[in-house]
Structure formats: C-alpha cells, structure tokens
Amino acid sequence: MRNPETISRDLRVLRRLQRDGLHTVILCDNAGQAERLEELLGEDGPLAASLAIGVLGGGFIVPNVVRVLTDHEIFRRDRRLRRTRRYSTGASLESLGALKPGDYVVHLEHGIGIYRGIEKIFVRESTIESAVIEYEGGDRLNVPLYRIDQIERYRSANDVSEDAPAPRLHKLGGNKWKAQREKTRMAILEMTQELLQLYARRKVTTRPSHGADGAWQRQLESSFLFEDTPDQRKATEDVKRDLEGERPMDRLLVGDVGYGKTEIAIRAAFKAVQGGRQVAVLVPTTILAEQHARSFGDRLADFPVVVEVMSRFQTAKEQAVIVEKLKKKQVDIIIGTHRLLSPDVEFAELGLIVVDEEHRFGVKHKERLKQLKLSTDVLTLTATPIPRTLHQSLAGLRDLTLMQTAPRDRSPVLTFVEPFDDALIEEAISRELDRGGQVFFVHNRIETIEAIADHLRRVVPRARVAVGHGQMKERELEKIMRQFVEGEVDILVSTLIVESGLDVPNANTMFVNRADHLGLAQLYQLRGRVGRSHRRAYCYLLVPDRVDEDAERRLAVLEHHTELGAGYRVALKDLELRGAGNLLGPEQSGFVHSVGFDLYLRLLDETVRQLSDDGGQKSWIPADVTLDFPSYLPDDYIASQEAKLDVYRRLTALRDPAAIESLKGEVRDRFGALPAPADALFGSALLRVIGASLGVEGVLVRASEARVTFRADAVPRLKGLSAAFHGVQFQVDVRRAQPLALKLTRLGGAEMLEGLIRALKALVP
C-alpha cells in the first residue's frame, strides 16, 4: 500500500492523461478495492473515470474509443497474486469412518463390545436387520439398525499410539458400565456448568464497541495480496461483528496451517488499535514471535501503528524499555511469548489478546489468561482440527469459526516413499537450491544427527547445512532456527522439533529419514512444514528396503492421499483426539478413555443442550413401531455394508418428516426405485418421528389392522383423531381411555402404513 502523497501524485498523472478526452475505465480486482478507489477519486473533485470489477495483466487503449487501466497501474504496484485453482480443496474437517467387523464399539446401555457385522433377524412377525455386538464371555447383543443411534465407534486418546492396548470389554447386563457412564456424565456436567458460568459472566460484561469500519480498515483489507477464501471472508465478518458488539469477544478460529488465520488476526488487531486500544499477541515460541512480528510489521507498514516484539532475543534492558512504553501507551501491538503474562507487564489500555495455540501454554499462564478473558476481547488461533460434533457441542459455550478452504495458490505436496539414496538426495536438494529455496532434513536420532549433516555436506558441497535438536542450548537452537527462517541456511537437519510452529514458505522440499518409525499424525504434521507458498513442494519419506506391514500401510496412505485437505482425512483420528484434548483439558481425558471419544461427545452435547435449555423442553421420545412385514435395506438393493450403515445412521438421526422424505429421495436417486422392505423402513421412520410429536408410545401394524397407544402424559383430542382416520377410510375403536389406546381397521383407501402416516401427519400442529 502506498502512502497518501504518492497516491495523490498518481491521481494527478491520471488527470493529465485524461486531457485527450478519451473515456477511462479502471478495473479493480474486487469490490473492496473499487470502494477504496472511489473514495480517493472523489477527494479532489470528480474524475471522469468508470470503475468496474475485473482482472487484467495490464491496461490498453482503443484509439478514439476507450482507455482501460488496472488499479495496479495507477498505484504502480505489482499485480495482486491471483491464480487459477488447479486442485480441488479436498476433504473438509468432517469425516465419518466406516464401521467394519472387528471394530470396538460402545453401546449407550451396555458398554464396550466388538462389532461383528450385520444379520437379519425375525422380530414380532417382521424381518429387520441388526448390528451384532459381542461382549465379555462371548455374549452377543442384536441391535436393530433403526436403533443404530445407540452405538458409537469406540475411540480414545490411546488409539493415537500404534501399539495401544485394546480396551476391556464389558459384561452384558453388568453394573460396571452404568456406574462408569454416570460418573462421566457428572464430570461433564461439572465442567460444562463451569464453562457456562464463565460464558454467562462474559455475556453480562460490557465494554465500549470498537466501532464500524473506517477508510483505513477497508484500505488494509483491500491491500491483501491474495484473494480471500470464502472461509476467510466469513471469519473476518465473525470477528468484526464481535468487536463491534458490546460484550467481550471470545472466539476460537480453527484452520489448517497456511489457511489465513494470521491475516484475520492482523485485521482484528488493526480494528482494535483504531479504537484507541492496545493489542497483545501471545505465541508459544520465540521463533513464532519473530515470525508474527514480521507479518504484522509488513502488513501495517503504511499505517501509523507501533508494533514491538518481546522475546528472549532481547536483553533485560531492552525488555524494560518496551514494558515502560506499554504503560505509557507508546506501543500499539506487542507480540511475545508467555513473558507478556508476567506481573511486571502492564498495559495502558489493553483491548484485544490474540492467542496462538493456547494448549501449548502452561497451567499458570492459562489461569492468568482466564482472568484477562473476563473483560478483554480474546481471539484464539489453532491449527489442530476439531471434530464437527465437538464444534457443535462447544458452540453453546464459546464462539467457534472453522476455516476449511485452502487458499487459491496452495498445491498438494508431492509425496514419495524412497530408499536412502545419495543420487536422489543430491538431485532433489540441487533442484530446490537452483530455484532459490531451502530444505528440511528430518533425522530423529540425536546420536547420529551430526554424522547425517556431515554426509549431506559431502553430497551437496555448495549447500549451507545447520543442525537443530532439543538437547542444544536454547539460545543456540533459536539462533539456528532464526538463520534458517531468514534464509542464511540452505538445509536444516533436525529432529521432530520442526513438527509444528516453524513457518518457512521458502522451504519446499523435505526429507524424513526412517519415516517408518513415525506415526501417521507425526508424518502429516511434518509434511505440513512444506507447501506453504505457490511453489510445488516435495516430501521424500526415506525408508530401508524392508519395513513392517503396519509401517508400509501408514506410508502408503500418506503417499496416495496428497490432495489438499487430505491430511485431515488421513490423520483425523489422531488429530481430532489431540484437538479434543486441547479444548477439553487433561482432567477430562480419563473419562474420554473410559466411555470412548464419540460417546463422550454425545454426552457432552446432551448436557450442554439440557443446561442451555433451562429445563424448558421435554426430552424427545420416538414412537415404537412394529410391522408384520419386512422393514430393512436388502443386500441386492444396497450391496455395500458401509453405504447401508451410513443410510441407517443418518435415518435414525433425523427428527423432521421433510428431512426423512429428502433422504428417501436421495436413496432413490443413488440406488434406484425402493423395494417394498426399504419403502417400509422409511415409512416406519416417518411414523416414529410423527408419533413422537403427538405423544404416541407405540404403533403395531398387522395386515389390515393397527394398534396405536399414547403415552400417559399425552393429551390427544379424540374428535380430531377420529376425523383424521376416517379421512383415510380407517374405522376407529377405543380400546382404552387412559392412557388412550386405539384399534384401527382398514375399510378401503390407502394401504395401512401409508394411511397411518397421512392421518397422523394431518394432526401435527
């Protein structure tokens, strides 16, 4: 962004150009840029130019007709970096794994067992499908697939380890599971109440609004060199809406590395500074503090904003000077590690705290943060993905924004599994150095890391090689890291310390030596260090000729899943468990393990809804429906067990008749016309949902007769019921008055199941 004097000079040049009387059209990349330009054009009187949205490499003139210019030519700056998307954005955070025989599952009422597959069973005159679960001692439980919502896959934090022990099975009908489940419920209730109380206190706390966007805010946002992704736009709107409100912001921004979280933080910080307040940016490492200082400094260079960084790279005297400036409000944005939470650091008017990866701070620092959060705006950034279910549960406790769209210029990292070969290594490193780039070489054994570095110096003599590992002195390690970030080192040979946090867009080739010794999540995190710019990135997983079967499977998964966002799908199990731990806290991890991750989230969701609802709503109880004819999805209709389970699971989760009809239409489109058993399955699902809203306890259908019984607390109007059933040509007889029980006889008209659905649907208010 150019300063006002330069812009004014550029506009004077434009006015001189227009003396030839030729009409001028100025093309802007986006609406924000056009709005900003319109303001500038109107400052010195009207200018005979039309503004339009469009992208051109450069302007042109059609003699005696029109002059077309781009906004970049007027302000004499390089073109905005806009590239055609060559790859799809890949998978989003949500990913439902298929249940396979042999997987551990947890039943809401009976606990942990082993899923053994699907079997057809005969229940009350009808054929249905059931999931078979085996428990301790070989006992088996058949769970009708229309109640598949009672089953969750069993996963725990221990699953992250490759050699994790199998969970202990529960005894069918035993009391141990029920006690454990209730203990977990109470722990969740305690945690949730504490979070809700904090949330409630923040809701009643007010602070002056940061005000609406001004010209400078629009100028900053339109000067972003890349086109905003849809998620970046939404995140910007969410954050600005929070800042313009009257209660303090507490928003968690979740997005993969390089998906634009820092840009959102810069925009938020600039808005707070324009409101006359100071901003603290809290990061877990000194290297990250330096990186953020560069990012903030570059973006805000054309504005009167004072940005300082406080880290161990500075002497005590230099830090004391910055602390004094903060007290006198001579610093607008301060970026640093947990040093910023020290008692001697005081702010004249702190308005916003940006926290990068809060889970990497200690308990003491988190407590200090919790105190600040009550009255200060807080924006927390994290690259650890969280599962959608946890996102929904916590949505009632704190504000979350998910950023799942990859930027336009990101391309997948090409991944190769190869043996350690000097020719390959020399070729790949030389290619990277020839294009002015840098290389990560990960070797996770400190005893031999220097020998590997010496070997690389011999293989590529022109490369500047440095070594970094966790047993080095802190200042020495930080110095090496800093040299690599600033381009003074060509190859960084390191242990897993580069797994997270280091952002070097210029480094786009990585080697991982003995990759067979690392887990899937570790390899995914390591690969995420490269591919952060528009350049093609390469990751070489170096392994010996023979590796064990499990390692081969892990490496193959990583090698074949390179599309953008695939990392989330590949390592989601590991990463989401880690993410859940970060958000829920270590004290809850034992309960997550005892009942399984998915059931824990379900219990959390139920607890949040109950507490948020103030006990106002009655629990939703579906009607029990029994048919005397088959009601299932035949194998010759849906052959894939995975697809079949997916339909059953989605069907049991629906509580709206329109949504059930929509799913029925989708199944018809995917698999063809519904056979009679599948049609009956969707019909019974409709009856369960409609019956729940009318207080129906059970429906039994036999040939041309049906029994409908209502719950004791239901108050149905008999006159309305009779009219509805007569409308479909059913005779109504009252078998019991309290609770109401009806016998229905089909006299003609619709088939029994269809007539029941039509009659009961007509009674729904």
Side-chain angles (χ1 to χ4, degrees):
M1 186 63 58
R2 303 177 69 76
N3 63 45
E5 292 80 7
T6 310
I7 290 171
S8 181
R9 189 170 65 245
D10 291 338
L11 292 176
R12 285 199 297 274
V13 171
L14 179 59
R15 287 179 189 278
R16 279 202 306 275
L17 275 174
Q18 287 196 302
R19 287 174 190 160
D20 59 9
L22 201 60
H23 179 67
T24 302
V25 176
I26 304 172
L27 289 182
C28 304
D29 275 4
N30 55 49
Q33 190 75 337
E35 189 179 330
R36 172 181 164 250
L37 191 54
E38 191 172 21
E39 286 178 10
L40 294 169
L41 293 178
E43 285 177 0
D44 298 323
L47 190 66
S50 304
L51 299 182
I53 308 297
V55 181
L56 277 181
F60 60 88
I61 294 175
V62 178
N64 303 319
V65 179
V66 69
R67 174 191 294 107
V68 178
L69 300 173
T70 68
D71 53 356
H72 306 280
E73 290 171 314
I74 292 173
F75 298 129
R76 292 182 293 174
R77 56 180 159 82
D78 293 337
R79 254 210 57 66
R80 181 183 306 273
L81 304 178
R82 178 177 175 132
R83 302 178 181 88
T84 304
R85 187 186 298 282
R86 290 172 294 168
Y87 301 90
S88 65
T89 52
S92 65
L93 291 184
E94 303 93 40
S95 178
L96 289 172
L99 198 60
K100 301 183 296 295
D103 285 347
Y104 288 94
V105 293
V106 57
H107 189 283
L108 196 58
E109 296 299 328
H110 302 288
I112 299 169
I114 301 173
Y115 171 65
R116 292 302 185 194
I118 297 174
E119 286 183 5
K120 288 185 184 64
I121 59 172
F122 194 69
V123 177
R124 297 190 208 163
E125 306 172 27
S126 175
T127 304
I128 62 171
E129 287 186 305
S130 70
V132 181
I133 304 175
E134 185 179 315
Y135 285 90
E136 185 187 350
D139 292 342
R140 291 194 166 205
L141 175 72
N142 288 312
V143 182
L145 287 184
Y146 64 77
R147 295 310 316 271
I148 193 76
D149 59 325
Q150 296 284 295
I151 302 172
E152 299 286 0
R153 178 196 295 279
Y154 176 85
R155 296 181 295 162
S156 84
N158 290 356
D159 294 351
V160 175
S161 168
E162 293 297 327
D163 54 354
R168 282 197 60 179
L169 302 185
H170 285 102
K171 190 168 183 62
L172 199 57
N175 295 320
K176 189 175 179 183
W177 163 249
K178 286 177 181 166
Q180 185 58 63
R181 186 187 62 196
E182 292 315 306
K183 193 175 175 185
T184 303
R185 270 202 171 108
M186 294 308 296
I188 289 173
L189 180 64
E190 192 177 323
M191 176 196 72
T192 309
Q193 283 176 326
E194 185 184 335
L195 283 169
L196 278 172
Q197 285 165 6
L198 177 65
Y199 195 67
R201 286 204 300 273
R202 289 178 56 79
K203 268 188 170 176
V204 297
T205 305
T206 59
R207 51 107 178 99
S209 165
H210 289 269
D213 285 356
W216 278 6
Q217 185 75 28
R218 289 192 291 274
Q219 189 174 328
L220 172 77
E221 290 175 20
S222 65
S223 69
F224 186 46
L225 281 180
F226 300 89
E227 184 181 0
D228 280 4
T229 65
D231 287 350
Q232 268 183 311
R233 284 195 291 274
K234 185 183 182 305
T236 300
E237 288 165 11
D238 288 347
V239 169
K240 290 201 293 191
R241 186 174 59 249
D242 290 346
L243 292 174
E244 289 169 14
E246 291 193 343
R247 72 178 179 89
M249 170 174 72
D250 182 15
R251 184 166 293 279
L252 175 63
L253 198 55
V254 183
D256 202 355
V257 173
Y259 275 36
K261 298 187 299 294
T262 304
E263 173 64 20
I264 306 302
I266 290 168
R267 294 174 187 182
F270 189 55
K271 191 173 181 71
V273 169
Q274 286 180 91
R277 292 162 212 174
Q278 293 170 294
V279 178
V281 181
L282 197 60
V283 296
T285 67
T286 303
I287 293 294
L288 266 180
E290 297 285 317
Q291 287 180 2
H292 276 317
R294 263 196 306 277
S295 301
F296 276 72
D298 290 347
R299 289 289 284 119
L300 301 173
D302 294 322
F303 300 94
V305 177
V306 179
V307 180
E308 292 281 6
V309 62
M310 188 184 290
S311 72
R312 288 188 299 272
F313 287 146
Q314 295 153 316
T315 63
K317 188 176 178 182
E318 287 169 334
Q319 290 186 26
V321 170
I322 293 173
V323 168
E324 198 57 36
K325 281 183 176 180
L326 277 172
K327 289 178 187 172
K328 295 177 180 176
K329 208 177 177 180
Q330 293 171 353
V331 174
D332 297 307
I333 300 174
I334 181 72
I335 300 167
T337 58
H338 56 267
R339 172 74 178 85
L340 296 182
L341 298 173
S342 304
D344 65 317
V345 177
E346 295 175 25
F347 295 84
E349 192 177 354
L350 181 60
L352 171 66
I353 305 171
V354 177
V355 188
D356 199 352
E357 301 291 359
E358 183 178 345
H359 64 275
R360 292 173 66 185
F361 292 94
V363 175
K364 188 175 71 174
H365 302 125
K366 284 184 180 176
E367 283 302 314
R368 171 81 174 125
L369 259 178
K370 198 180 285 186
Q371 294 165 11
L372 292 170
K373 276 185 179 183
L374 278 174
S375 56
T376 311
D377 289 292
V378 180
L379 178 63
T380 307
L381 316 177
T382 181
T384 308
I386 63 171
R388 183 172 180 77
T389 39
L390 182 58
H391 167 225
Q392 289 170 333
S393 299
L394 294 182
L397 306 178
R398 68 186 301 187
D399 301 316
L400 285 88
T401 299
L402 295 179
M403 296 177 67
Q404 303 174 110
T405 318
R408 276 186 178 274
D409 60 342
R410 293 288 292 276
S411 55
V413 179
L414 290 183
T415 307
F416 306 96
V417 178
E418 300 284 353
F420 193 108
D421 179 74
D422 285 353
L424 168 77
I425 291 169
E426 193 276 331
E427 181 190 346
I429 291 176
S430 296
R431 181 183 60 231
E432 189 60 60
L433 297 186
D434 287 345
R435 63 178 182 175
Q438 295 163 274
V439 177
F440 287 103
F441 197 103
V442 178
H443 178 82
N444 204 34
R445 288 185 68 85
I446 292 175
E447 302 83 6
T448 52
I449 197 167
E450 288 291 351
I452 286 288
D454 287 339
H455 184 77
L456 291 176
R457 289 184 185 104
R458 289 193 295 274
V459 172
V460 193
R462 63 176 170 137
R464 296 167 295 176
V465 181
V467 173
H469 57 78
Q471 289 183 14
M472 295 171 71
K473 289 181 180 174
E474 208 167 283
R475 281 194 173 275
E476 185 186 354
L477 175 60
E478 284 174 350
K479 181 185 173 188
I480 295 291
M481 293 293 197
R482 197 175 195 181
Q483 287 175 338
F484 187 61
V485 169
E486 291 174 358
E488 296 170 15
V489 167
D490 296 316
I491 304 174
L492 176 64
V493 183
S494 76
T495 55
L496 290 179
I497 56 168
V498 297
E499 183 182 353
S500 60
L502 202 61
D503 185 11
V504 189
N506 195 44
N508 283 297
T509 293
M510 169 176 279
F511 291 89
V512 182
N513 196 24
R514 290 311 303 262
D516 53 310
H517 287 173
L518 302 179
L520 196 56
Q522 288 175 314
L523 291 170
Y524 165 65
Q525 292 282 68
L526 282 170
R527 187 171 70 176
R529 297 304 97 201
V530 295
R532 300 190 178 198
S533 70
H534 61 281
R535 288 180 174 179
R536 165 65 76 195
Y538 302 87
C539 179
Y540 296 90
L541 306 175
L542 304 180
V543 296
D545 289 334
R546 291 187 179 182
V547 296
D548 66 64
E549 196 176 319
D550 283 346
E552 195 169 323
R553 178 179 52 81
R554 291 198 304 275
L555 295 167
V557 165
L558 206 69
E559 184 177 31
H560 292 121
H561 288 78
T562 59
E563 68 269 21
L564 290 173
Y568 280 115
R569 200 165 63 240
V570 170
L572 183 65
K573 180 178 75 173
D574 308 33
L575 293 170
E576 73 177 4
L577 289 168
R578 190 184 303 176
N582 297 341
L583 288 170
L584 297 169
E587 61 280 359
Q588 292 287 322
S589 61
F591 296 107
V592 172
H593 177 61
S594 64
V595 301
F597 178 63
D598 295 289
L599 182 57
Y600 179 91
L601 295 184
R602 179 169 169 169
L603 296 175
L604 172 65
D605 190 42
E606 287 174 6
T607 306
V608 171
R609 276 194 280 110
Q610 285 168 8
L611 289 176
S612 304
D613 188 41
D614 300 324
Q617 286 185 6
K618 290 187 291 186
S619 58
W620 186 82
I621 305 172
D624 183 25
V625 177
T626 305
L627 309 177
D628 70 342
F629 44 88
S631 165
Y632 64 97
L633 297 171
D635 289 342
D636 56 1
Y637 180 59
I638 301 180
S640 164
Q641 299 291 295
E642 182 182 332
K644 187 184 285 193
L645 276 174
D646 178 54
V647 172
Y648 275 115
R649 191 172 285 280
R650 288 168 64 191
L651 188 59
T652 56
L654 298 177
R655 298 186 179 184
D656 176 24
I660 293 174
E661 293 286 7
S662 175
L663 179 58
K664 183 178 178 180
E666 181 193 320
V667 170
R668 189 188 298 112
D669 290 343
R670 287 173 63 191
F671 303 105
L674 274 71
D679 201 42
L681 175 71
F682 280 96
S684 59
L686 279 168
L687 274 185
R688 284 188 192 92
V689 169
I690 297 167
S693 60
L694 296 172
V696 174
E697 183 176 62
V699 178
L700 172 63
V701 178
R702 275 205 188 103
S704 293
E705 286 189 354
R707 300 278 178 88
V708 178
T709 55
F710 288 82
R711 293 196 300 268
D713 59 346
V715 283
R717 284 172 41 247
L718 190 55
K719 191 174 179 183
L721 282 169
S722 297
F725 287 123
H726 285 147
V728 291
Q729 299 181 40
F730 286 2
Q731 179 183 313
V732 182
D733 295 308
V734 177
R735 301 297 299 266
R736 188 178 61 228
Q738 186 58 36
L740 183 63
L742 304 176
K743 177 188 174 186
L744 306 172
T745 306
R746 177 175 174 259
L747 303 176
E751 290 295 328
M752 201 73 222
L753 185 59
E754 185 191 339
L756 276 169
I757 292 167
R758 278 167 47 192
L760 292 176
K761 193 184 279 188
L763 293 166
V764 176

